[in-house]
Amino acid sequence: MAQRDHHMTSRGATAPALKGGGWHRLGNALKTTVLLAGLTALVLLIGQRLGGAQGLAMAGFFAVVMNFGSYWFSDRIALAIHGAQPLPYEQAPWLHAMVERLSARAGMPKPKVYLLPTAQPNAFATGRNPSHAAIAVTAGILELLDERELEGVLAHELGHVRNRDTLIGTVAATLAGIISYAAQMLFWFGGSMLSRSDDEEGGGIAGALSNLGLLLVAPIAATLLQLAVSRSREYGADATGAELCGDPDALASALLKMERGAEAMPYDRAPATSHLFIVNPLHHGGVMSLFSTHPPIPERVRRLREMSARMGGRARARGGWEYAY
């Protein structure tokens, strides 16, 4: 990897740290809680419809076990899936210095830094909390973006870590995965599971059709709820990251470059983790964009440009939540 002669700007060093909390953060936490509760309810409802009280208990057990595993091992799993390797300090001291400075501004420990061996320009953050977090950047993003744009991307990822988005996104993906898996298992085992509980209760064909309708609709509903969690968090991380680095235009420029890079070089190594990346690595266009884990880049850029105009082109000494939602 080519070394860069980066000079740290005084803007990042002298700006005051972000202040957490506030009504915006509380409102976002409430929205996320409602969405995750909806996913959990779908899991339990499917279990109850398929197996009665026993199915309900089993569904609850699987939800707890999988979320427990997601909580403790989500960072290791995500990094291993993508073949990410630790990036030594001596290999990119300017990058580590940038992450360290932004982390200090965010009032959190410096995350571990990893490198993904792919040419697509992208990045993601993972980890259950700021003390157990990691940021992974691709080889392509280090070649494509300049220092100003890269700082905006790193600030965005640190925003995810600070907001606990990485944990919430993993939990949402886990619950949605349980629902989809339950639907697949149903069709593998045939119609007996559909009608068994309802036959016992006298529901007959009507009950079986009701169960079938639930299992057809549930994966779609789970996907939409997961997308609602993911998209809301992306907007929030954009705003928090822009406030953190003090340069919304830099992040906007980076998003446009990375979108073109994803279009030219799609990365589909692990589609189930696409929601982790700052830009959708799969780059689905047309109707499929409605089911994308990311909000449209033009809308993200528009919000960042508006934020830049309100800030007057310079960072302001205020909390990072004012523009998040």
Side-chain angles (χ1 to χ4, degrees), residues 113-199:
V113 181
Y114 286 78
L115 180 68
L116 269 66
T118 176
Q120 186 188 93
N122 225 320
F124 72 83
T126 185
R128 63 183 183 271
N129 56 45
S131 298
H132 301 84
I135 290 180
V137 296
T138 66
I141 201 174
L142 299 181
E143 296 296 330
L144 179 66
L145 302 187
D146 60 29
E147 175 188 350
R148 177 172 162 259
E149 294 164 338
L150 185 58
E151 185 175 46
V153 170
L154 294 174
H156 170 100
E157 297 305 334
L158 286 170
H160 274 312
V161 174
R162 190 172 187 268
N163 299 352
R164 306 302 200 274
D165 293 346
T166 50
L167 174 61
I168 292 170
T170 301
V171 172
T174 299
L175 291 173
I178 293 174
I179 293 169
S180 298
Y181 182 72
Q184 293 175 17
M185 289 294 293
L186 173 71
F187 289 109
W188 288 346
F189 284 102
S192 59
M193 293 179 65
L194 283 172
S195 56
R196 180 180 56 195
S197 61
D198 284 280
D199 284 339

Side-chain angles (χ1 to χ4, degrees), residues 245-256:
C245 70
D247 194 352
D249 287 325
L251 179 54
S253 176
L255 289 174
L256 291 171

Side-chain angles (χ1 to χ4, degrees), residues 76-302:
R76 303 179 201 176
I77 294 172
L79 293 168
I81 286 175
H82 293 281
Q85 297 296 324
L87 184 61
Y89 182 92
E90 57 274 12
Q91 189 172 347
W94 54 270
L95 181 63
H96 281 271
M98 191 181 292
V99 174
E100 186 172 2
R101 186 177 67 255
L102 290 170
S103 300
R105 282 213 64 220
M108 53 182 273
K110 174 179 175 287
K112 298 177 182 178
V113 181
Y114 286 78
L115 180 68
L116 269 66
T118 176
Q120 186 188 93
N122 225 320
F124 72 83
T126 185
R128 63 183 183 271
N129 56 45
S131 298
H132 301 84
I135 290 180
V137 296
T138 66
I141 201 174
L142 299 181
E143 296 296 330
L144 179 66
L145 302 187
D146 60 29
E147 175 188 350
R148 177 172 162 259
E149 294 164 338
L150 185 58
E151 185 175 46
V153 170
L154 294 174
H156 170 100
E157 297 305 334
L158 286 170
H160 274 312
V161 174
R162 190 172 187 268
N163 299 352
R164 306 302 200 274
D165 293 346
T166 50
L167 174 61
I168 292 170
T170 301
V171 172
T174 299
L175 291 173
I178 293 174
I179 293 169
S180 298
Y181 182 72
Q184 293 175 17
M185 289 294 293
L186 173 71
F187 289 109
W188 288 346
F189 284 102
S192 59
M193 293 179 65
L194 283 172
S195 56
R196 180 180 56 195
S197 61
D198 284 280
D199 284 339
E200 293 172 354
E201 299 171 4
I205 296 178
L209 291 176
S210 174
N211 285 345
L212 178 60
L214 170 66
L215 290 165
L216 289 174
V217 173
I220 299 175
T223 299
L224 293 177
L225 285 169
Q226 182 188 2
L227 296 184
V229 173
S230 180
R231 291 189 175 200
S232 174
R233 293 289 169 171
E234 286 302 319
Y235 284 131
D238 281 346
T240 302
E243 188 80 12
L244 178 60
C245 70
D247 194 352
D249 287 325
L251 179 54
S253 176
L255 289 174
L256 291 171
K257 284 187 177 181
M258 288 187 291
E259 181 184 37
R260 291 192 292 269
E263 183 177 3
M265 296 172 287
Y267 176 71
D268 60 355
R269 179 162 181 168
T273 63
S274 63
H275 66 284
L276 294 177
F277 290 84
I278 184 172
V279 171
N280 191 346
L282 305 176
H283 191 76
H284 290 310
V287 176
M288 289 304 297
S289 63
L290 297 175
F291 296 93
S292 172
T293 53
H294 296 65
I297 294 296
E299 176 60 19
R300 295 171 69 180
V301 169
R302 184 190 67 79

